[in-house]
């Protein structure tokens, strides 16, 4: 069973990141201590991430509750026991129903083992996940961070993360995915910790709980 990094581990990683990168030092100083909330993994965890894609938090929660009521236990077998129309009746779109059943079949047939992904390296796990239809790079990286607690996974395509990097580096333009990956090389082996720090900093700024300095604030307004 994966375990999240302890508060002491997170604190040490943040201190390391702040020491090697002045841009992260400011985010570190302005952001309260993080708590790494590990989500359930395995088939259920990945399927839930599919359900949550491109919908609001409230909508995703509503659909998930209907699926739990309709399926009982969220397992590959339970999902495959219902046809697409039945899943749509539980609030799932046709596309997500197809993706979910494809992932369920891959798990049952042994083409992927979502219960023992920890045996794979980060790169191997990302390759295995993105080979599944409906699982893009961001979903694979987010799954490994949020469901397995991996410390060096980096979702370079995440727009909020890119925006936070822009503020931290005080640049006029947001880095694209390729540039974000390149920027994050300095943060190894704690790129996922840097991600959580920048996400928390970004959220604090958006909520008005954290104030950027004048130069960064101007970049925020553009």
């Amino acid at each position: 069973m994966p375990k999240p990094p302890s508060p002491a581990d997170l604190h040490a990683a943040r201190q390391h990141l702040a020491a090697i990168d002045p841009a992260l030092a400011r985010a570190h100083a302005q952001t309260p201590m993080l708590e790494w909330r590990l989500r359930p993994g395995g088939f259920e965890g990945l399927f839930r991430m599919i359900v949550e894609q491109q919908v609001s938090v409230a909508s995703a929660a509503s659909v998930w509750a209907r699926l739990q009521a309709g399926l009982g236990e969220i397992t590959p077998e339970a999902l495959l026991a219902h046809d697409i129309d039945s899943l749509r009746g539980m609030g799932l779109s046709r596309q997500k129903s197809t993706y979910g059943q494809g992932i369920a079949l891959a798990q049952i047939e042994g083409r992927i083992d979502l219960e023992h992904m920890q045996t794979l390296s980060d790169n191997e796990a990302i390759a295995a996940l993105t080979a599944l239809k409906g699982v893009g790079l961001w979903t694979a990286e987010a799954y490994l961070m949020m469901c397995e607690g991996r410390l060096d996974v980096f979702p370079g395509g995440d727009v909020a993360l890119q925006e936070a990097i822009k503020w931290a580096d005080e640049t006029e333009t947001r880095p694209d995915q390729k540039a974000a990956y390149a920027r994050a090389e300095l943060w190894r082996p704690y790129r996922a910790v840097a991600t959580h720090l920048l996400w928390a900093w970004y959220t604090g700024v958006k909520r008005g709980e954290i104030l950027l300095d004048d130069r960064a604030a101007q970049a925020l307004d553009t």
Side-chain angles (χ1 to χ4, degrees):
M1 175 71 69
K3 293 183 179 180
S6 69
D9 290 340
L10 279 175
H11 182 66
R14 281 181 54 162
Q15 285 189 314
H16 170 78
L17 291 166
I20 64 171
D21 192 333
L24 287 190
R26 182 170 58 137
H28 171 62
Q30 292 183 309
T31 306
M33 189 61 198
L34 301 173
E35 180 181 348
W36 196 297
R37 294 183 175 88
L38 196 67
R39 297 175 51 157
F43 171 77
E44 180 178 349
L46 182 60
F47 179 48
R48 184 161 190 171
M49 294 190 76
I50 297 294
V51 172
E52 292 172 344
Q53 287 176 355
Q54 299 177 326
V55 296
S56 68
V57 173
S59 294
S62 175
V63 172
W64 190 251
R66 291 174 66 183
L67 285 167
Q68 287 180 312
L71 299 178
E73 190 177 8
I74 307 292
T75 64
E77 293 79 7
L79 199 67
L80 289 170
H82 292 75
D83 61 24
I84 298 296
D85 288 339
S86 177
L87 294 174
R88 291 187 66 197
M90 299 176 200
L92 204 59
S93 70
R94 179 175 296 277
Q95 184 179 57
K96 290 182 179 181
S97 298
T98 302
Y99 290 161
Q101 289 200 332
I103 295 168
L105 190 60
Q107 174 73 13
I108 288 174
E109 293 179 346
R111 287 182 279 121
I112 194 167
D113 185 357
L114 292 167
E115 307 303 326
H116 300 93
M117 296 292 286
Q118 306 94 321
T119 62
L120 302 179
S121 69
D122 292 343
N123 289 337
E124 289 170 340
I126 288 171
L129 288 166
T130 54
L132 301 170
K133 191 171 183 179
V135 181
L137 182 57
W138 184 92
T139 301
E141 291 163 334
Y143 174 86
L144 294 177
M145 280 197 306
M146 298 174 184
C147 298
E148 296 205 344
R150 300 199 188 206
L151 297 183
D152 196 35
V153 181
F154 182 77
D158 187 89
V159 174
L161 180 57
Q162 293 171 357
E163 190 72 6
I165 293 172
K166 171 189 168 183
W167 301 346
D169 288 340
E170 299 182 338
T171 57
E172 294 184 359
T173 59
R174 189 172 68 212
D176 60 15
Q177 179 170 301
K178 182 178 179 180
Y181 281 123
R183 178 68 178 86
E185 282 299 307
L186 177 63
W187 304 333
R188 288 182 181 273
Y190 299 119
R191 291 182 301 164
V193 178
T195 297
H196 277 74
L197 172 60
L198 288 169
W199 274 343
W201 188 54
Y202 174 88
T203 299
V205 170
K206 285 294 188 180
R207 289 177 176 172
E209 300 165 355
I210 296 173
L211 297 178
L212 299 176
D213 61 29
D214 290 342
R215 182 175 172 184
Q218 290 174 4
L220 173 60
D221 291 335
T222 59

